[in-house]
Amino acid sequence: MLSRRIIPCLDVRDGRVVKGVRFRDHVDMGDIEQLAMRYRDAGADELVFYDISASPDARSVDVGWVERVARIIDIPFCVAGGIRSVDAARRVLNAGADKISVNSPALERPHLITELADAFGVQCVVLGVDSLRDADGEWRVRQYTGDPSRTRALPRRTLDWLSEAQDLGAGEIVLNCMGSDGVRQGYDLEQLKAARRLCRVPLIASGGAGKAEHFSQVFEQADVDGALAASVFHNGSIEIPELKRYLRQQRIEVRDVA
Amino acid sequence: MSRVVLIDAGGSNIGSVQYALQRIGVEAPLTRDAGQIRAAERVILPGVGAAMPAMQRLREAGLIELIRQLQQPLLGVCVGMQILFERSEEGDVDCLGLLPGRVQKLAGGEGLRIPHMGWNRVFKQQADEPLLVGIEDGAHAYFVHSYAVLDLSAAAAICEHGQRFVAVARRGNVAGAQFHPERSATFGARLLENFVR
């Protein structure tokens, strides 16, 4: 049986891992390779690196660190941030990333998803979606969330966008539920269940993890393929080996921790 | 002369396979040079993407017959394994025909997402498969694919995602892994060590 994946997300700026509240007040957390190794040794199933220096400046990811990470880690990793063309994606993949993730650029130009899938196969193409419930009760997508001063609420309904993106060639979807993000009260099960009903491709939950029970809830109730989290792993409030032991006890299939 | 070479059939995981070999102390150049491939003690055919462009690239490089005639151990990885079989439904393309069976689209279904992406358990079919020495039965490997070989006649190990499919293939000197050893942690490193040893 396919294991449920535990995925730490690391924000990268200028070749360092940083932690911050959105776009401001970033604290240096250390060297990318060291943190990548630490999570790999703890039993992370996959890593996502979000290059936050790239997107707002409209420049592409610096691939030097991608190659350094690819050399040392032996689990898959995905790179997000600032990828808006087939050429930019190729540089990242050739440097050794296993997948690339696109978000705002795909909203600007949805056909980008198809171009990436045609060039590299759907298995390389992850769509990141930032979603928030509006006053009328509908979930709609947000764009440019990396910079609060530029964030835009779009008229596009989240569920419509997920369907469209799959048809265009997205091979995996990371749904970041902004309403629960950073609050640590649990993943947005209602939204993730709705997304699951129409996702044929792997679906990854993002936003809201605060304790181990939140992971078992999201796997059992929303049937997601993976759960992504950042702060609870970075601050050590959840240790991955313990989390996996807990999930095992709940009879959730996870990969062995060495 | 290099002991181990990687055949350049395109695809984006070539660097990752090369790095994985470096981690176990093996420098394997990437090549399309017939002489260099023939002279190597071990040959690896990596691949990410689709069977059609991989076959096309080998044909353009004039390597099809050469690969078919190799006598030294040959290891295909992911799409590189798939094209060792007779034919692929993906792009409806004739492949190298070194292993019996066809590559078919995974059916998916209720609770079974396609692509099959993530860590899944690998079970041995042949207890003495040399690539799997030292690897526990049911160990997890990292898979990313939508197509697979469902005919298990060349299976040294299998995996299941709704259907059982070939995870490790073997016939004589020709072997393959459907998963990615370069991204399969200690399992993958051990498989590569077993291959180059």
Side-chain angles (χ1 to χ4, degrees):
Chain A
M1 195 199 291
L2 193 57
S3 294
R4 307 285 177 171
R5 284 177 267 157
I6 303 295
I7 309 170
C9 178
L10 295 88
D11 285 349
V12 170
R13 191 176 67 180
D14 302 326
R16 304 281 294 175
V17 175
V18 295
K19 176 168 82 166
V21 184
R22 299 284 160 182
F23 202 54
R24 284 185 261 276
D25 306 325
H26 284 109
V27 180
D28 186 284
M29 290 193 58
D31 180 72
I32 299 175
E33 291 112 292
Q34 271 173 8
L35 284 162
M37 287 300 281
R38 203 179 82 197
Y39 281 120
R40 172 220 114 108
D41 292 342
D45 297 309
E46 189 172 318
L47 299 176
V48 172
F49 295 95
Y50 182 48
D51 192 318
I52 58 169
S53 44
S55 210
D57 309 342
R59 67 189 159 95
S60 189
V61 176
D62 156 36
V63 297
W65 65 264
V66 178
E67 189 186 318
R68 293 199 302 276
V69 169
R71 280 181 188 278
I72 57 165
I73 72 166
D74 56 6
I75 57 171
F77 71 102
C78 177
V79 173
I83 296 166
R84 36 184 20 100
S85 68
V86 168
D87 279 346
R90 181 175 288 117
R91 282 195 293 277
V92 172
L93 291 169
N94 283 351
D98 300 278
K99 298 188 261 190
I100 43 108
S101 181
V102 290
N103 186 332
S104 296
L107 288 166
E108 288 163 13
R109 201 169 66 79
H111 193 66
L112 173 65
I113 298 170
T114 309
E115 290 170 15
L116 294 169
D118 287 346
F120 311 111
V122 298
Q123 78 286 343
C124 288
V125 184
V126 180
L127 179 76
V129 178
D130 291 316
S131 173
L132 195 61
R133 180 166 244 164
D134 284 322
D136 64 357
E138 287 284 358
W139 294 299
R140 290 196 184 81
V141 297
R142 296 291 185 273
Q143 194 176 22
Y144 309 124
T145 58
D147 179 351
S149 66
R150 287 182 67 211
T151 298
R152 288 172 53 193
L154 300 190
R156 203 189 285 266
R157 286 178 0 122
T158 301
L159 298 179
D160 292 344
W161 178 227
L162 298 186
S163 293
E164 185 184 343
Q166 284 186 103
D167 294 340
L168 289 168
E172 180 166 88
I173 288 166
V174 176
L175 181 57
N176 180 40
C177 305
M178 295 172 68
S180 54
D181 192 23
V183 192
R184 295 187 203 166
Q185 296 298 310
Y187 290 96
D188 184 341
L189 298 172
E190 188 190 351
Q191 185 170 187
L192 289 159
K193 276 192 235 179
R196 175 76 287 168
R197 278 195 284 277
L198 51 85
C199 267
R200 306 179 298 272
V201 298
L203 174 67
I204 309 299
S206 166
K211 52 185 183 176
E213 289 85 342
H214 296 150
F215 288 84
S216 55
Q217 278 167 4
V218 78
F219 290 134
E220 281 168 347
Q221 296 179 40
D223 190 24
V224 295
D225 299 275
L228 184 143
S231 58
V232 287
F233 294 138
H234 297 333
N235 68 21
S237 63
I238 295 182
E239 299 287 350
I240 294 172
E242 259 172 63
L243 172 62
K244 285 193 160 182
R245 274 193 289 276
Y246 169 79
L247 293 172
R248 276 264 165 93
Q249 283 165 6
Q250 307 302 308
R251 303 194 171 281
I252 292 167
E253 174 83 357
V254 287
R255 181 171 73 104
D256 305 318
V257 181
Chain B
M1 234 353 124
S2 308
R3 279 191 64 239
V4 184
V5 298
L6 293 166
I7 297 180
D8 180 5
S12 53
N13 72 329
I14 291 171
S16 303
V17 175
Q18 223 165 8
Y19 302 149
L21 290 164
Q22 283 170 359
R23 288 194 294 267
I24 59 168
V26 175
E27 282 297 332
L30 182 65
T31 182
R32 292 204 272 171
D33 179 80
Q36 197 176 7
I37 295 168
R38 241 186 244 114
E41 287 174 28
R42 300 279 188 277
V43 177
I44 298 178
L45 182 58
V48 157
M52 174 80 99
M55 282 301 294
Q56 202 173 331
R57 202 170 161 102
L58 293 179
R59 193 166 296 115
E60 282 163 12
L63 293 175
I64 301 278
E65 272 317 303
L66 179 139
I67 294 171
R68 283 185 175 138
Q69 285 160 15
L70 290 174
Q71 299 299 311
Q72 61 272 58
L74 169 65
L75 176 69
V77 172
C78 197
V79 170
M81 176 198 93
Q82 294 181 354
I83 61 175
L84 298 173
F85 285 84
E86 290 159 6
R87 198 172 165 75
S88 177
E89 248 181 32
E90 189 182 19
D92 214 7
V93 62
D94 275 327
C95 296
L96 292 161
L98 291 165
L99 296 171
R102 286 180 309 124
V103 181
Q104 292 171 269
K105 176 114 197 202
L106 284 167
E110 185 60 36
L112 298 166
R113 263 69 75 175
I114 306 296
H116 174 228
M117 190 187 289
W119 297 83
N120 205 336
R121 292 183 184 276
V122 172
F123 295 98
K124 296 179 189 184
Q125 295 285 98
Q126 303 295 331
D128 57 352
E129 167 54 45
L131 287 175
L132 300 175
V133 169
I135 291 163
E136 218 176 293
D137 203 29
H140 285 102
Y142 184 74
F143 290 85
V144 187
H145 60 122
S146 303
Y147 290 78
V149 178
L150 306 177
D151 172 349
L152 303 181
S153 51
I158 59 144
C159 179
E160 186 168 351
H161 186 60
Q163 300 150 286
R164 303 203 307 163
F165 63 87
V166 177
V168 177
R170 159 79 62 191
R171 176 153 290 193
N173 65 311
V174 179
Q178 175 62 70
F179 53 87
H180 288 272
E182 74 278 16
R183 287 284 175 257
S184 290
T186 47
F187 181 163
R190 183 62 196 262
L191 183 140
L192 291 173
E193 269 172 30
N194 288 341
F195 178 71
V196 301
R197 186 186 292 156

